[in-house]
């Protein structure tokens, strides 16, 4: 008997409403290929309704005391904790990552809610007394109105919450457009938003693809947009938002390097590095994509990485014994396999070949096995372009400076890590690489919620990043007040 297919709706002004677009997108379970949900694309009228609801709710929401907004976030936090396992399973079903990885994603979601709930202190302004005789000056941060978020498929719960809690906490209203490949998690979150008691229209959800995103950006009532995805789309959104006079923070793609020095502790580095390269099937912007190993350690490292990669078991992420799930779609699978084929044709050697691998009992899943590509040269396409799959390239270097030069030659600047026992080498690396998120003996340099999620070069378009203080500044605008209170003309105090 076929599983029931859920029909997803938009969440607008505190009510579920059916999208009025003519196209529909199917949501598949990447492990089975089976359809688990479908959602019609939102029409321009749906977008206008969602933005209108947020716009109408703004005046009363911004007037709500910050402590009360924070309490609503605490209620949401409690509800997410209560539904933790069900929400984690939802992430695994729509995305394919393992249940352990989904739980980790949801923990990061909770952490951002926790940090944003501290908005009474995060949004504090500045004050200086007597900047001149009898004159004081104050700077306060004010909310701006409606903001939108365009989400990726790879972290359907966490990434929207790099932004949404801070937008709400600072007194703005919000519209989320999740990825059409993984929209279920945010639909579940809207149910919890309602249970937490957020007023109608404060946060809204619309389904759709690129046309829906562009309609949201173009709406004159929208003040800014947050995005995470590929570099070409991030650049397009950055340009489009600028044309319409919006604030924008657009996180793009990555080509993250992991540097292995001869003094690295390989017993600790290999398991850590495996999570970086093959965690979430390599589908994350912090995934290690290129391992740059020093000549003295290269052969041993390559052999050990091959063994660890071949030991990973593919399968449904709900199975606790599975080490890696599928990629998101058949299109992604074909693109990743074509990249591996191209590398082999260009002369690279496949130390571990994930082509043709499947999971037992799941022939229709979108499977690519862990792949390690050796003898990669800088001119190869696999060395230059983001793969966004479970594929890691190996390259040799003679010195740390050579490794740093290789990293800086990349157009991307999202993350890089070094594995070493040398403090001076680590300090040189940290200060020398032009990278936003840097790891030292840490393969996934993911900032905690109270730090900004950084990124440079073609990995980020904008000025202020997601999370923490950067997010608070992005969602507010400073107002400076200069005050003088002179006494009456006869010199008397008016209160006497």
């Amino acid at each position: 008997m076929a599983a029931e297919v859920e029909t997803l709706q938009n969440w607008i002004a505190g009510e579920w409403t059916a999208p009025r677009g003519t196209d529909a997108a199917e949501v598949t379970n990447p492990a089975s290929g089976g359809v688990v949900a479908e959602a019609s694309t939102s029409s321009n009228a749906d977008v206008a309704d969602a933005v209108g609801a947020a716009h109408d709710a703004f005046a009363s929401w911004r007037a709500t005391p910050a402590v009360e907004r924070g309490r609503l976030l605490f209620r949401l936090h409690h509800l997410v904790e209560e539904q933790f396992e069900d929400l984690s399973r939802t992430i695994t079903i729509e995305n394919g990552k393992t249940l352990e990885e989904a739980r980790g994603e949801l923990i990061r979601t909770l952490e951002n809610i926790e940090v944003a709930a501290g908005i009474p202190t995060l949004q504090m302004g500045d004050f200086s007394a007597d900047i001149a005789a009898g004159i004081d000056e104050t700077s306060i941060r004010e909310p701006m109105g409606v903001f939108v978020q365009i989400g990726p498929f790879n972290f359907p719960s966490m990434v929207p919450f790099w932004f949404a809690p801070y937008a709400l906490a600072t007194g703005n209203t919000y519209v989320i457009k999740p990825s059409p490949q993984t929209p279920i998690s945010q639909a579940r979150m809207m149910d919890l938003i309602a249970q937490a008691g957020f007023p109608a229209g404060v946060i809204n959800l619309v389904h759709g693809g690129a046309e829906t995103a562009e309609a949201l950006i173009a709406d004159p009532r929208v003040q800014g947009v947050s995005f995470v995805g590929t570099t070409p789309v991030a650049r397009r959104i950055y340009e489009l938002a600028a044309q319409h006079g919006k604030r924008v923070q657009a996180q793009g793609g990555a080509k993250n390097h992991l540097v292995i020095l001869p003094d690295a502790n390989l017993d600790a580095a290999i398991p850590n590095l495996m999570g970086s390269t093959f965690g979430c099937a390599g589908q994350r912007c912090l995934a290690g994509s290129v391992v740059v190993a020093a000549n003295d350690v290269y052969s041993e490292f390559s052999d050990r990485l091959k063994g660890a990669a071949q030991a990973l078991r593919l399968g449904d992420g709900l199975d606790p014994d599975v080490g890696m799930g599928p990629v998101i779609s058949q299109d992604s699978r074909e693109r990743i396999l074509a990249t591996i084929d191209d590398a082999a044709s260009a002369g690279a050697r496949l130390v571990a070949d994930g082509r043709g691998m499947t999971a037992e009992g799941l022939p229709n899943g979108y499977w690519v096995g862990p792949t390690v590509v050796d003898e990669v040269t800088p001119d190869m396409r696999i060395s230059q372009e983001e793969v966004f799959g479970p594929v890691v390239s190996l390259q040799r270097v003679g010195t740390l400076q050579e490794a740093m030069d290789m990293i800086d030659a990349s157009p991307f600047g999202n993350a890089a890590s070094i594995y070493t026992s040398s403090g001076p080498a680590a300090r040189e690396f940290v200060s020398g690489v032009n990278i936003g998120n840097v790891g030292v003996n840490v393969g996934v340099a993911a900032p905690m919620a109270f730090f900004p999620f950084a990124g440079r070069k073609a990995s980020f378009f904008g000025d202020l990043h997601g999370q923490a203080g950067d997010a608070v500044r992005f969602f507010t605008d400073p107002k400076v007040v200069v005050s003088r209170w002179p006494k009456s003309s006869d010199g008397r105090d008016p209160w006497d």
Side-chain angles (χ1 to χ4, degrees):
M1 182 177 179
E4 183 178 351
V5 176
E6 181 180 3
T7 300
L8 300 175
Q9 296 186 311
N10 291 337
W11 177 255
I12 299 175
E15 295 183 353
W16 290 111
T17 61
R20 290 169 283 183
T22 56
D23 297 328
E26 292 182 337
V27 182
T28 61
N29 180 335
S32 67
V35 177
V36 294
E38 63 179 17
S40 295
T41 299
S42 297
S43 66
N44 286 346
D46 294 323
V47 170
D49 287 348
V51 175
H55 183 265
D56 292 345
F58 173 61
S60 60
W61 180 242
R62 72 168 293 177
T64 301
V67 290
E68 294 184 20
R69 298 195 296 260
R71 289 182 191 124
L72 288 174
L73 287 170
F74 277 124
R75 289 180 201 166
L76 176 62
H77 185 281
H78 175 69
L79 292 168
V80 172
E81 283 189 314
E82 283 189 335
Q83 299 297 316
F84 188 87
E85 284 302 311
D86 285 345
L87 291 170
S88 297
R89 288 178 62 85
T90 296
I91 294 169
T92 293
I93 289 168
E94 68 177 344
N95 171 271
K97 65 181 63 177
T98 68
L99 192 55
E100 181 181 359
E101 291 165 344
R103 289 171 179 145
E105 174 179 349
L106 203 56
I107 287 171
R108 290 289 180 146
T109 303
L110 286 166
E111 288 170 352
N112 275 285
I113 299 173
E114 291 166 3
V115 173
I119 200 62
T121 55
L122 290 174
Q123 200 174 347
M124 280 184 175
D126 299 307
F127 174 79
S128 289
D130 295 318
I131 60 165
I135 300 177
D136 304 328
E137 189 163 341
T138 302
S139 174
I140 57 178
R141 304 205 67 89
E142 293 189 329
M144 299 172 64
V146 182
F147 284 81
V148 302
Q149 202 272 326
I150 300 166
F153 75 81
N154 59 336
F155 287 91
S157 174
M158 180 188 74
V159 167
F161 275 68
W162 280 353
F163 312 104
Y166 303 97
L168 300 181
T170 51
N172 299 282
T173 52
Y174 214 56
V175 181
I176 293 175
K177 189 207 78 65
S179 166
Q181 294 179 295
T182 54
I184 307 174
S185 294
Q186 285 305 302
R188 300 284 184 271
M189 198 64 74
M190 292 305 110
D191 282 332
L192 300 185
I193 288 279
Q195 291 179 42
F198 282 84
V202 166
I203 185 166
N204 306 272
L205 175 76
V206 293
H207 296 288
E211 290 185 3
T212 304
E214 294 195 0
L216 284 167
I217 296 170
D219 193 297
R221 296 167 293 184
V222 169
Q223 302 298 311
V225 56
S226 304
F227 170 81
V228 176
T230 66
T231 287
V233 179
R235 184 180 287 110
R236 166 63 178 159
I237 286 177
Y238 183 65
E239 293 171 350
L240 184 62
Q243 290 170 12
H244 289 280
K246 317 291 185 182
R247 291 190 174 190
V248 59
Q249 45 187 185
Q251 197 84 29
K255 194 70 178 175
N256 304 318
H257 293 68
L258 308 175
V259 178
I260 314 294
L261 295 191
D263 61 359
N265 180 343
L266 293 187
D267 290 337
I270 293 293
N272 182 266
L273 184 142
M274 287 291 291
S276 174
T277 53
F278 301 123
C280 300
Q283 299 174 120
R284 58 183 174 196
C285 60
L286 292 179
S289 181
V290 181
V291 178
V292 184
N295 288 327
D296 292 347
V297 74
Y298 191 92
S299 295
E300 179 186 359
F301 173 81
S302 177
D303 289 342
R304 293 180 66 167
L305 181 63
K306 172 185 176 180
Q310 292 178 334
L312 276 179
R313 180 187 166 207
L314 290 182
D316 188 333
L318 295 177
D319 183 341
D321 295 325
V322 162
M324 193 179 83
V327 297
I328 189 63
S329 68
Q330 182 62 21
D331 285 347
S332 287
R333 178 179 181 273
E334 291 175 358
R335 176 186 53 77
I336 295 164
L337 293 178
T339 301
I340 300 171
D341 291 343
D342 179 80
S345 299
R349 182 169 65 92
L350 299 182
V351 175
D353 190 350
R355 296 175 298 180
M357 294 184 68
T358 61
E360 184 178 355
L362 295 165
N364 297 320
Y366 312 132
W367 305 108
V368 180
T371 300
V372 181
V373 187
D374 201 353
E375 299 177 15
V376 174
T377 57
D379 60 304
M380 293 181 182
R381 184 161 65 92
I382 196 172
S383 181
Q384 300 169 358
E385 298 178 6
E386 183 177 36
V387 179
F388 219 66
V391 181
V392 60
S393 304
L394 303 186
Q395 295 186 234
R396 296 175 180 267
V397 290
T399 65
L400 174 57
Q401 187 59 54
E402 186 181 343
M404 293 167 62
D405 290 343
M406 185 182 298
I407 293 170
D408 287 340
S410 170
F412 301 102
N414 207 43
S417 295
I418 187 170
Y419 290 88
T420 182
S421 298
S422 168
R427 291 189 79 247
E428 181 180 355
F429 183 81
V430 169
S431 65
V433 291
N434 185 20
I435 294 294
N437 304 291
V438 181
V440 177
N441 297 316
V442 174
V444 181
M448 293 293 288
F450 34 85
F451 285 89
F453 192 100
R456 297 179 180 178
K457 299 190 285 187
S459 294
F460 181 73
F461 300 87
D463 300 301
L464 295 167
H465 296 80
Q467 299 192 153
D470 265 27
V472 172
R473 288 186 288 275
F474 180 78
F475 291 116
T476 58
D477 205 43
K479 176 183 284 184
V480 175
V481 181
V482 182
S483 305
R484 172 187 282 151
W485 296 97
K487 293 184 178 181
S488 61
S489 58
D490 59 6
R492 291 187 302 107
D493 189 323
W495 294 101
D496 289 343

